[in-house]
């Protein structure tokens, strides 16, 4: 009998083809993993799971006694209950190093879109409202030479800093768990405590991973510190932001606008209050979603999966402590 792999929300299932001689591969897409009987049944024999954003918790792990590896097809791995996985000898992996530039392009793109009101002006043209030269009602705000504050100066944060500093002559401020000497040297980035960064920045870009420490990092206090002319951009995870506080900040004009690629609940509901603001640009968690990058991510996720199935340390192991348990 062949060994079993589950592919969950995996964008290029055809790249799993070479594994088919050895493994039976069950594909699941657009299902609720908590209630889909076929998925729960497949977990019984699965040795590996590859995919995007599968919520892995104790209940799921209880159903998957043979599991060796969960290969996340993303750089974020907040969906994995790592402590539980480690206890049970299950490896977790991610896909860093191939998506940073692509994600930075997207996040800088929504920053520009919010500042220059591009989606709103697109609708202005397409709905026949462009009858006259533009007046103050359509004017926007500049990006170049402004101050860009980046919370979370990891690899993607650094790529955003590069675009801001070298492409748009922006002053870069950053807040991070540890100092980033490379960004300081290459992009003149200056370290700030969180409150100072929020007070001084014209654009606040949140790129931190979601951890218990960063959950609801941006709340009422933080939005109140921002300039009324500032734009907030979230390219991290939805749960790093208290959405109610963001809505209040927008309603009370404590900030000028926002650009969001991520939400507390995804896909975001169509009647979500954040979708009702003209000065909020929204995208559907598309940071890494280009053909080129998704292919690189899939390749890396498969390499990680194959190593884990063989019991070899995968290149992007995120819970190295597991090696002591296996
Ligand atoms: C990532 O890789 O973490 C992106 O946000 C896609 O999930």
């Amino acid at each position: 009998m062949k060994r079993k792999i589950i592919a969950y929300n995996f964008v290029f299932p055809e790249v799993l083809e070479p594994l088919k001689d050895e493994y039976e591969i069950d594909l699941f897409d657009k299902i609720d993993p908590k209630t889909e009987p076929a998925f729960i049944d497949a977990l019984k024999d699965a040795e590996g799971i590859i995919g995007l954003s599968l919520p892995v918790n104790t209940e799921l792990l209880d159903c998957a006694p043979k599991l060796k590896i969960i290969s996340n097809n993303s750089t974020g791995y907040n969906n994995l209950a790592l402590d539980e996985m480690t206890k049970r000898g299950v490896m977790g992996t991610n896909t860093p190093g191939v998506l940073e530039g692509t994600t930075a392009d997207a996040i800088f793109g929504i920053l520009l879109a919010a500042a220059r009101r591009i989606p709103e002006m697109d609708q202005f043209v397409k709905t026949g409202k462009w009858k006259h030269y533009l007046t103050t009602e359509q004017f926007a705000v500049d990006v170049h030479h402004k101050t860009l504050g980046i919370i979370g100066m990891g690899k993607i944060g650094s790529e955003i800093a590069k675009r801001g500093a070298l492409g748009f002559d922006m002053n870069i401020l950053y807040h991070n768990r540890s100092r980033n000497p490379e960004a300081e040297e290459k992009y003149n980035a200056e370290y700030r405590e969180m409150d100072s960064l929020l007070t001084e920045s014209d654009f606040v870009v949140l790129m931190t991973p979601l951890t218990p420490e960063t959950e609801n990092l941006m709340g009422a206090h933080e939005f109140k510190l921002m300039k009324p002319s500032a734009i907030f951009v979230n390219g991290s995870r939805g749960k790093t932001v208290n959405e109610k506080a963001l809505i209040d900040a927008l309603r009370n004009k404590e900030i000028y606008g926002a650009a969001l690629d991520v939400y507390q609940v995804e896909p975001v509901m169509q009647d979500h209050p954040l979708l009702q603001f003209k000065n909020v640009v929204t995208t559907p968690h598309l940071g890494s979603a280009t053909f080129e990058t998704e292919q690189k991510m899939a390749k890396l996720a498969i390499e990680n999966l194959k190593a884990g199935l063989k019991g070899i340390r995968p290149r992007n192991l995120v819970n190295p402590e597991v090696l002591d348990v296996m």
Side-chain angles (χ1 to χ4, degrees), residues 186-244:
K186 286 189 174 163
Y187 315 125
N188 278 330
E190 291 177 28
Y191 180 84
R192 289 286 189 281
E193 290 305 329
M194 185 79 175
D195 285 6
S196 308
L197 179 142
L198 294 167
T199 317
E200 291 177 48
S201 300
D202 299 304
F203 297 90
V204 172
V205 177
L206 187 58
M207 289 312 305
T208 180
L210 174 64
T211 64
E213 292 75 40
T214 63
E215 190 161 350
N216 287 319
L217 186 65
M218 288 296 296
H221 166 79
E222 286 70 26
F223 287 118
K224 280 191 201 325
L225 288 175
M226 286 176 64
K227 299 179 188 178
S229 56
I231 290 178
F232 172 70
V233 183
N234 193 5
S236 64
R237 287 289 184 264
K239 289 194 164 68
T240 53
V241 175
N242 178 332
E243 286 181 346
K244 159 95 177 57

Short mmCIF file of all heavy atoms in Angstrom, two decimals, residues 186-244:
data_model
loop_
_atom_site.label_atom_id
_atom_site.label_comp_id
_atom_site.label_asym_id
_atom_site.label_seq_id
_atom_site.Cartn_x
_atom_site.Cartn_y
_atom_site.Cartn_z
N LYS A 186 22.43 50.13 4.79
CA LYS A 186 22.08 50.26 3.38
C LYS A 186 21.01 51.31 3.11
O LYS A 186 21.00 51.95 2.07
CB LYS A 186 21.55 48.92 2.86
CG LYS A 186 22.62 47.87 2.65
CD LYS A 186 21.96 46.72 1.94
CE LYS A 186 22.88 45.65 1.51
NZ LYS A 186 22.16 44.40 1.20
N TYR A 187 20.04 51.44 4.05
CA TYR A 187 18.89 52.31 3.77
C TYR A 187 18.76 53.44 4.79
O TYR A 187 17.71 54.07 4.87
CB TYR A 187 17.59 51.47 3.73
CG TYR A 187 17.75 50.19 2.95
CD1 TYR A 187 17.45 48.96 3.51
CD2 TYR A 187 18.25 50.23 1.64
CE1 TYR A 187 17.65 47.78 2.79
CE2 TYR A 187 18.46 49.06 0.92
CZ TYR A 187 18.16 47.84 1.52
OH TYR A 187 18.37 46.68 0.82
N ASN A 188 19.85 53.65 5.54
CA ASN A 188 19.82 54.70 6.57
C ASN A 188 18.65 54.54 7.53
O ASN A 188 18.10 55.53 8.03
CB ASN A 188 19.73 56.10 5.94
CG ASN A 188 21.09 56.56 5.51
OD1 ASN A 188 22.10 56.19 6.13
ND2 ASN A 188 21.12 57.33 4.43
N ALA A 189 18.22 53.31 7.72
CA ALA A 189 17.06 53.07 8.60
C ALA A 189 17.44 53.38 10.04
O ALA A 189 18.52 53.00 10.50
CB ALA A 189 16.61 51.62 8.47
N GLU A 190 16.56 54.08 10.74
CA GLU A 190 16.82 54.42 12.14
C GLU A 190 15.86 53.66 13.04
O GLU A 190 14.66 53.66 12.79
CB GLU A 190 16.62 55.92 12.37
CG GLU A 190 17.67 56.76 11.68
CD GLU A 190 17.39 58.25 11.86
OE1 GLU A 190 16.77 58.63 12.89
OE2 GLU A 190 17.77 59.01 10.97
N TYR A 191 16.43 53.06 14.08
CA TYR A 191 15.61 52.29 15.03
C TYR A 191 14.80 53.25 15.91
O TYR A 191 15.30 54.29 16.33
CB TYR A 191 16.51 51.41 15.92
CG TYR A 191 15.70 50.62 16.91
CD1 TYR A 191 15.12 49.42 16.55
CD2 TYR A 191 15.49 51.11 18.21
CE1 TYR A 191 14.35 48.70 17.45
CE2 TYR A 191 14.72 50.40 19.11
CZ TYR A 191 14.15 49.20 18.73
OH TYR A 191 13.38 48.50 19.60
N ARG A 192 13.56 52.92 16.18
CA ARG A 192 12.73 53.70 17.09
C ARG A 192 11.96 52.76 17.99
O ARG A 192 11.59 51.66 17.60
CB ARG A 192 11.68 54.52 16.33
CG ARG A 192 12.21 55.67 15.54
CD ARG A 192 12.62 56.84 16.47
NE ARG A 192 12.95 58.01 15.70
CZ ARG A 192 14.11 58.22 15.08
NH1 ARG A 192 15.07 57.32 15.15
NH2 ARG A 192 14.32 59.33 14.41
N GLU A 193 11.66 53.22 19.21
CA GLU A 193 10.68 52.53 20.04
C GLU A 193 9.34 52.67 19.31
O GLU A 193 9.14 53.61 18.53
CB GLU A 193 10.61 53.14 21.44
CG GLU A 193 11.83 52.88 22.31
CD GLU A 193 12.17 51.40 22.48
OE1 GLU A 193 11.24 50.57 22.45
OE2 GLU A 193 13.36 51.08 22.61
N MET A 194 8.43 51.75 19.60
CA MET A 194 7.15 51.70 18.89
C MET A 194 6.42 53.06 18.91
O MET A 194 6.00 53.55 17.86
CB MET A 194 6.33 50.62 19.59
CG MET A 194 5.04 50.30 19.00
SD MET A 194 5.16 49.26 17.55
CE MET A 194 3.40 49.04 17.30
N ASP A 195 6.28 53.68 20.08
CA ASP A 195 5.49 54.91 20.16
C ASP A 195 6.11 56.02 19.32
O ASP A 195 5.41 56.77 18.64
CB ASP A 195 5.36 55.38 21.63
CG ASP A 195 4.35 54.52 22.39
OD1 ASP A 195 3.85 53.52 21.82
OD2 ASP A 195 4.06 54.85 23.56
N SER A 196 7.44 56.15 19.34
CA SER A 196 8.10 57.20 18.55
C SER A 196 7.90 56.93 17.07
O SER A 196 7.65 57.86 16.29
CB SER A 196 9.60 57.26 18.84
OG SER A 196 9.81 57.35 20.20
N LEU A 197 8.03 55.67 16.67
CA LEU A 197 7.84 55.35 15.25
C LEU A 197 6.43 55.77 14.80
O LEU A 197 6.25 56.40 13.75
CB LEU A 197 8.04 53.85 15.01
CG LEU A 197 7.85 53.37 13.57
CD1 LEU A 197 8.87 52.30 13.21
CD2 LEU A 197 6.44 52.85 13.31
N LEU A 198 5.43 55.48 15.63
CA LEU A 198 4.04 55.79 15.26
C LEU A 198 3.83 57.31 15.19
O LEU A 198 3.14 57.81 14.31
CB LEU A 198 3.07 55.18 16.28
CG LEU A 198 3.04 53.64 16.29
CD1 LEU A 198 2.31 53.13 17.52
CD2 LEU A 198 2.38 53.11 15.02
N THR A 199 4.46 58.03 16.08
CA THR A 199 4.28 59.48 16.13
C THR A 199 4.96 60.17 14.94
O THR A 199 4.45 61.14 14.41
CB THR A 199 4.91 60.04 17.43
OG1 THR A 199 4.54 59.18 18.50
CG2 THR A 199 4.44 61.43 17.75
N GLU A 200 6.11 59.63 14.52
CA GLU A 200 6.92 60.35 13.52
C GLU A 200 6.61 59.97 12.08
O GLU A 200 6.98 60.69 11.16
CB GLU A 200 8.41 60.06 13.78
CG GLU A 200 8.96 60.66 15.04
CD GLU A 200 10.42 60.24 15.24
OE1 GLU A 200 11.23 60.35 14.31
OE2 GLU A 200 10.74 59.79 16.36
N SER A 201 5.97 58.79 11.86
CA SER A 201 5.86 58.28 10.48
C SER A 201 4.67 58.84 9.71
O SER A 201 3.61 59.07 10.27
CB SER A 201 5.74 56.75 10.51
OG SER A 201 6.86 56.18 11.13
N ASP A 202 4.89 59.00 8.39
CA ASP A 202 3.78 59.35 7.49
C ASP A 202 3.09 58.09 6.98
O ASP A 202 1.92 58.11 6.60
CB ASP A 202 4.31 60.16 6.30
CG ASP A 202 4.95 61.45 6.76
OD1 ASP A 202 4.26 62.23 7.45
OD2 ASP A 202 6.15 61.67 6.48
N PHE A 203 3.87 57.00 6.93
CA PHE A 203 3.32 55.70 6.54
C PHE A 203 3.80 54.70 7.58
O PHE A 203 5.01 54.62 7.85
CB PHE A 203 3.82 55.27 5.14
CG PHE A 203 3.38 56.21 4.07
CD1 PHE A 203 4.14 57.31 3.71
CD2 PHE A 203 2.16 56.02 3.43
CE1 PHE A 203 3.71 58.20 2.74
CE2 PHE A 203 1.72 56.90 2.46
CZ PHE A 203 2.50 57.99 2.11
N VAL A 204 2.88 53.96 8.15
CA VAL A 204 3.25 52.91 9.11
C VAL A 204 2.93 51.58 8.45
O VAL A 204 1.77 51.30 8.12
CB VAL A 204 2.45 53.05 10.42
CG1 VAL A 204 2.70 51.86 11.34
CG2 VAL A 204 2.81 54.36 11.13
N VAL A 205 3.98 50.78 8.22
CA VAL A 205 3.78 49.48 7.56
C VAL A 205 4.06 48.37 8.56
O VAL A 205 5.15 48.29 9.14
CB VAL A 205 4.73 49.33 6.34
CG1 VAL A 205 4.55 47.97 5.70
CG2 VAL A 205 4.44 50.42 5.32
N LEU A 206 3.06 47.53 8.78
CA LEU A 206 3.19 46.45 9.75
C LEU A 206 3.56 45.15 9.02
O LEU A 206 2.81 44.70 8.15
CB LEU A 206 1.85 46.31 10.48
CG LEU A 206 1.78 45.35 11.65
CD1 LEU A 206 2.78 45.71 12.73
CD2 LEU A 206 0.37 45.36 12.25
N MET A 207 4.72 44.58 9.34
CA MET A 207 5.19 43.38 8.65
C MET A 207 5.60 42.28 9.62
O MET A 207 6.20 41.29 9.22
CB MET A 207 6.41 43.72 7.77
CG MET A 207 6.12 44.54 6.55
SD MET A 207 4.73 43.97 5.52
CE MET A 207 5.15 42.30 5.14
N THR A 208 5.27 42.45 10.89
CA THR A 208 5.72 41.50 11.89
C THR A 208 4.99 40.15 11.77
O THR A 208 3.83 40.13 11.39
CB THR A 208 5.49 42.13 13.29
OG1 THR A 208 5.93 41.23 14.26
CG2 THR A 208 4.05 42.45 13.54
N PRO A 209 5.66 39.04 12.08
CA PRO A 209 4.93 37.77 12.10
C PRO A 209 3.88 37.79 13.23
O PRO A 209 4.03 38.56 14.19
CB PRO A 209 6.00 36.71 12.40
CG PRO A 209 7.28 37.42 12.55
CD PRO A 209 7.06 38.89 12.50
N LEU A 210 2.87 36.96 13.10
CA LEU A 210 1.87 36.86 14.18
C LEU A 210 2.38 35.89 15.24
O LEU A 210 2.64 34.72 14.96
CB LEU A 210 0.53 36.36 13.62
CG LEU A 210 -0.55 36.09 14.66
CD1 LEU A 210 -0.96 37.36 15.39
CD2 LEU A 210 -1.77 35.44 13.99
N THR A 211 2.54 36.41 16.46
CA THR A 211 2.96 35.59 17.60
C THR A 211 2.09 36.05 18.78
O THR A 211 1.42 37.08 18.67
CB THR A 211 4.44 35.83 17.96
OG1 THR A 211 4.57 37.20 18.39
CG2 THR A 211 5.39 35.57 16.81
N PRO A 212 2.14 35.35 19.92
CA PRO A 212 1.35 35.86 21.07
C PRO A 212 1.74 37.30 21.43
O PRO A 212 0.90 38.09 21.84
CB PRO A 212 1.70 34.89 22.19
CG PRO A 212 2.11 33.63 21.49
CD PRO A 212 2.75 34.04 20.20
N GLU A 213 2.99 37.68 21.19
CA GLU A 213 3.43 39.05 21.54
C GLU A 213 2.90 40.09 20.55
O GLU A 213 2.76 41.25 20.89
CB GLU A 213 4.98 39.15 21.54
CG GLU A 213 5.68 38.39 22.64
CD GLU A 213 5.71 36.89 22.37
OE1 GLU A 213 5.92 36.50 21.20
OE2 GLU A 213 5.50 36.11 23.32
N THR A 214 2.67 39.68 19.31
CA THR A 214 2.26 40.69 18.31
C THR A 214 0.76 40.69 18.05
O THR A 214 0.27 41.50 17.27
CB THR A 214 3.01 40.50 16.97
OG1 THR A 214 2.64 39.21 16.43
CG2 THR A 214 4.51 40.60 17.12
N GLU A 215 0.02 39.78 18.68
CA GLU A 215 -1.43 39.77 18.48
C GLU A 215 -2.01 41.09 19.00
O GLU A 215 -1.67 41.56 20.08
CB GLU A 215 -2.04 38.57 19.23
CG GLU A 215 -3.48 38.40 18.86
CD GLU A 215 -4.01 37.00 19.20
OE1 GLU A 215 -3.23 36.10 19.56
OE2 GLU A 215 -5.23 36.85 19.11
N ASN A 216 -2.84 41.73 18.18
CA ASN A 216 -3.43 43.04 18.53
C ASN A 216 -2.38 44.10 18.84
O ASN A 216 -2.62 44.99 19.67
CB ASN A 216 -4.39 42.92 19.71
CG ASN A 216 -5.67 42.24 19.32
OD1 ASN A 216 -6.21 42.52 18.23
ND2 ASN A 216 -6.15 41.34 20.14
N LEU A 217 -1.25 44.02 18.20
CA LEU A 217 -0.17 45.00 18.42
C LEU A 217 -0.65 46.42 18.13
O LEU A 217 -0.29 47.38 18.81
CB LEU A 217 1.01 44.65 17.50
CG LEU A 217 2.29 45.43 17.64
CD1 LEU A 217 2.92 45.17 19.01
CD2 LEU A 217 3.29 45.02 16.55
N MET A 218 -1.45 46.56 17.06
CA MET A 218 -1.99 47.88 16.73
C MET A 218 -3.40 47.98 17.31
O MET A 218 -4.33 47.31 16.83
CB MET A 218 -2.05 48.07 15.21
CG MET A 218 -0.70 48.26 14.55
SD MET A 218 0.19 49.77 15.03
CE MET A 218 -0.87 51.05 14.43
N GLY A 219 -3.55 48.81 18.34
CA GLY A 219 -4.86 49.01 18.97
C GLY A 219 -5.15 50.50 19.06
O GLY A 219 -4.46 51.33 18.45
N ALA A 220 -6.16 50.84 19.89
CA ALA A 220 -6.61 52.24 19.97
C ALA A 220 -5.46 53.18 20.34
O ALA A 220 -5.28 54.23 19.72
CB ALA A 220 -7.72 52.34 21.01
N HIS A 221 -4.65 52.79 21.33
CA HIS A 221 -3.54 53.64 21.76
C HIS A 221 -2.59 53.92 20.59
O HIS A 221 -2.19 55.06 20.35
CB HIS A 221 -2.79 52.91 22.90
CG HIS A 221 -1.45 53.49 23.23
ND1 HIS A 221 -1.32 54.62 24.00
CD2 HIS A 221 -0.19 53.10 22.88
CE1 HIS A 221 -0.03 54.91 24.12
NE2 HIS A 221 0.69 54.00 23.45
N GLU A 222 -2.28 52.87 19.83
CA GLU A 222 -1.31 53.00 18.73
C GLU A 222 -1.86 53.89 17.62
O GLU A 222 -1.15 54.75 17.09
CB GLU A 222 -0.94 51.62 18.19
CG GLU A 222 -0.03 50.80 19.09
CD GLU A 222 -0.69 50.31 20.37
OE1 GLU A 222 -1.93 50.15 20.39
OE2 GLU A 222 0.03 50.11 21.37
N PHE A 223 -3.14 53.69 17.24
CA PHE A 223 -3.69 54.52 16.16
C PHE A 223 -3.77 55.99 16.58
O PHE A 223 -3.55 56.88 15.78
CB PHE A 223 -5.06 53.99 15.72
CG PHE A 223 -4.94 52.71 14.93
CD1 PHE A 223 -5.51 51.53 15.39
CD2 PHE A 223 -4.22 52.68 13.73
CE1 PHE A 223 -5.37 50.35 14.67
CE2 PHE A 223 -4.08 51.49 13.01
CZ PHE A 223 -4.66 50.33 13.49
N LYS A 224 -4.05 56.23 17.87
CA LYS A 224 -4.13 57.62 18.35
C LYS A 224 -2.76 58.32 18.26
O LYS A 224 -2.70 59.53 18.13
CB LYS A 224 -4.64 57.65 19.79
CG LYS A 224 -6.15 57.50 19.87
CD LYS A 224 -6.67 57.80 21.25
CE LYS A 224 -8.03 57.20 21.54
NZ LYS A 224 -8.99 57.12 20.48
N LEU A 225 -1.69 57.53 18.34
CA LEU A 225 -0.36 58.15 18.26
C LEU A 225 0.00 58.56 16.83
O LEU A 225 0.85 59.41 16.61
CB LEU A 225 0.71 57.17 18.76
CG LEU A 225 0.75 56.91 20.26
CD1 LEU A 225 1.78 55.83 20.58
CD2 LEU A 225 1.07 58.19 21.03
N MET A 226 -0.66 57.95 15.85
CA MET A 226 -0.31 58.25 14.44
C MET A 226 -0.77 59.65 14.06
O MET A 226 -1.71 60.19 14.63
CB MET A 226 -0.95 57.20 13.51
CG MET A 226 -0.24 55.85 13.56
SD MET A 226 -1.07 54.59 12.54
CE MET A 226 -0.90 55.24 10.89
N LYS A 227 -0.10 60.21 13.04
CA LYS A 227 -0.51 61.55 12.56
C LYS A 227 -1.86 61.44 11.87
O LYS A 227 -2.11 60.44 11.17
CB LYS A 227 0.50 62.04 11.51
CG LYS A 227 1.91 62.21 11.98
CD LYS A 227 2.76 62.69 10.80
CE LYS A 227 4.23 62.70 11.14
NZ LYS A 227 5.09 63.11 10.03
N PRO A 228 -2.70 62.47 11.94
CA PRO A 228 -3.98 62.43 11.21
C PRO A 228 -3.77 62.35 9.70
O PRO A 228 -4.67 61.94 8.96
CB PRO A 228 -4.66 63.75 11.60
CG PRO A 228 -3.87 64.32 12.71
CD PRO A 228 -2.53 63.68 12.75
N SER A 229 -2.58 62.70 9.23
CA SER A 229 -2.27 62.64 7.79
C SER A 229 -1.62 61.31 7.40
O SER A 229 -1.25 61.12 6.25
CB SER A 229 -1.31 63.77 7.43
OG SER A 229 -0.15 63.65 8.26
N ALA A 230 -1.47 60.39 8.37
CA ALA A 230 -0.69 59.17 8.09
C ALA A 230 -1.56 58.02 7.57
O ALA A 230 -2.76 57.97 7.80
CB ALA A 230 0.03 58.72 9.37
N ILE A 231 -0.89 57.12 6.86
CA ILE A 231 -1.57 55.95 6.28
C ILE A 231 -1.01 54.69 6.95
O ILE A 231 0.21 54.55 7.08
CB ILE A 231 -1.38 55.92 4.75
CG1 ILE A 231 -2.18 57.08 4.14
CG2 ILE A 231 -1.80 54.57 4.16
CD1 ILE A 231 -2.06 57.22 2.65
N PHE A 232 -1.93 53.80 7.34
CA PHE A 232 -1.53 52.54 7.96
C PHE A 232 -1.63 51.42 6.93
O PHE A 232 -2.63 51.30 6.22
CB PHE A 232 -2.46 52.24 9.15
CG PHE A 232 -2.23 50.87 9.72
CD1 PHE A 232 -1.06 50.59 10.40
CD2 PHE A 232 -3.18 49.87 9.55
CE1 PHE A 232 -0.82 49.30 10.89
CE2 PHE A 232 -2.95 48.59 10.05
CZ PHE A 232 -1.77 48.31 10.72
N VAL A 233 -0.57 50.59 6.85
CA VAL A 233 -0.54 49.50 5.87
C VAL A 233 -0.30 48.19 6.61
O VAL A 233 0.66 48.08 7.38
CB VAL A 233 0.61 49.72 4.84
CG1 VAL A 233 0.60 48.62 3.78
CG2 VAL A 233 0.50 51.10 4.18
N ASN A 234 -1.16 47.20 6.39
CA ASN A 234 -0.93 45.90 7.03
C ASN A 234 -0.61 44.82 6.00
O ASN A 234 -1.45 44.45 5.18
CB ASN A 234 -2.13 45.47 7.88
CG ASN A 234 -1.76 44.28 8.78
OD1 ASN A 234 -0.60 43.86 8.83
ND2 ASN A 234 -2.74 43.76 9.50
N GLY A 235 0.64 44.32 6.06
CA GLY A 235 1.06 43.22 5.19
C GLY A 235 1.50 42.02 6.01
O GLY A 235 2.19 41.14 5.51
N SER A 236 1.10 42.00 7.30
CA SER A 236 1.58 40.92 8.18
C SER A 236 0.51 39.84 8.29
O SER A 236 0.39 38.98 7.40
CB SER A 236 1.95 41.48 9.55
OG SER A 236 0.82 42.03 10.21
N ARG A 237 -0.27 39.87 9.32
CA ARG A 237 -1.41 38.99 9.50
C ARG A 237 -2.53 39.83 10.12
O ARG A 237 -2.25 40.76 10.89
CB ARG A 237 -1.07 37.82 10.45
CG ARG A 237 -0.15 36.77 9.85
CD ARG A 237 -0.88 35.96 8.77
NE ARG A 237 -0.07 34.88 8.22
CZ ARG A 237 0.66 34.96 7.10
NH1 ARG A 237 0.70 36.08 6.41
NH2 ARG A 237 1.32 33.90 6.67
N GLY A 238 -3.78 39.48 9.83
CA GLY A 238 -4.90 40.28 10.31
C GLY A 238 -4.95 40.41 11.82
O GLY A 238 -5.31 41.46 12.36
N LYS A 239 -4.54 39.35 12.51
CA LYS A 239 -4.71 39.35 13.97
C LYS A 239 -3.69 40.24 14.68
O LYS A 239 -3.76 40.41 15.90
CB LYS A 239 -4.64 37.91 14.50
CG LYS A 239 -5.87 37.10 14.13
CD LYS A 239 -5.93 35.82 14.95
CE LYS A 239 -7.28 35.16 14.93
NZ LYS A 239 -7.70 34.60 13.67
N THR A 240 -2.75 40.83 13.95
CA THR A 240 -1.83 41.78 14.58
C THR A 240 -2.52 43.13 14.80
O THR A 240 -1.97 44.00 15.46
CB THR A 240 -0.57 42.01 13.72
OG1 THR A 240 -0.99 42.37 12.41
CG2 THR A 240 0.31 40.77 13.66
N VAL A 241 -3.72 43.28 14.23
CA VAL A 241 -4.44 44.54 14.32
C VAL A 241 -5.79 44.34 15.00
O VAL A 241 -6.52 43.41 14.65
CB VAL A 241 -4.66 45.13 12.90
CG1 VAL A 241 -5.52 46.38 12.96
CG2 VAL A 241 -3.32 45.45 12.26
N ASN A 242 -6.10 45.21 15.93
CA ASN A 242 -7.44 45.24 16.49
C ASN A 242 -8.31 46.00 15.48
O ASN A 242 -8.24 47.22 15.37
CB ASN A 242 -7.39 45.95 17.86
CG ASN A 242 -8.75 46.08 18.48
OD1 ASN A 242 -9.77 46.13 17.79
ND2 ASN A 242 -8.77 46.13 19.80
N GLU A 243 -9.12 45.26 14.73
CA GLU A 243 -9.85 45.88 13.61
C GLU A 243 -10.87 46.91 14.10
O GLU A 243 -11.13 47.91 13.44
CB GLU A 243 -10.52 44.80 12.76
CG GLU A 243 -9.51 44.06 11.91
CD GLU A 243 -10.11 42.99 11.00
OE1 GLU A 243 -11.29 42.62 11.18
OE2 GLU A 243 -9.38 42.52 10.11
N LYS A 244 -11.44 46.66 15.28
CA LYS A 244 -12.41 47.62 15.83
C LYS A 244 -11.70 48.95 16.07
O LYS A 244 -12.25 50.02 15.76
CB LYS A 244 -12.99 47.00 17.11
CG LYS A 244 -13.61 47.92 18.09
CD LYS A 244 -15.13 48.00 17.89
CE LYS A 244 -15.83 48.86 18.92
NZ LYS A 244 -15.38 50.24 19.04
#
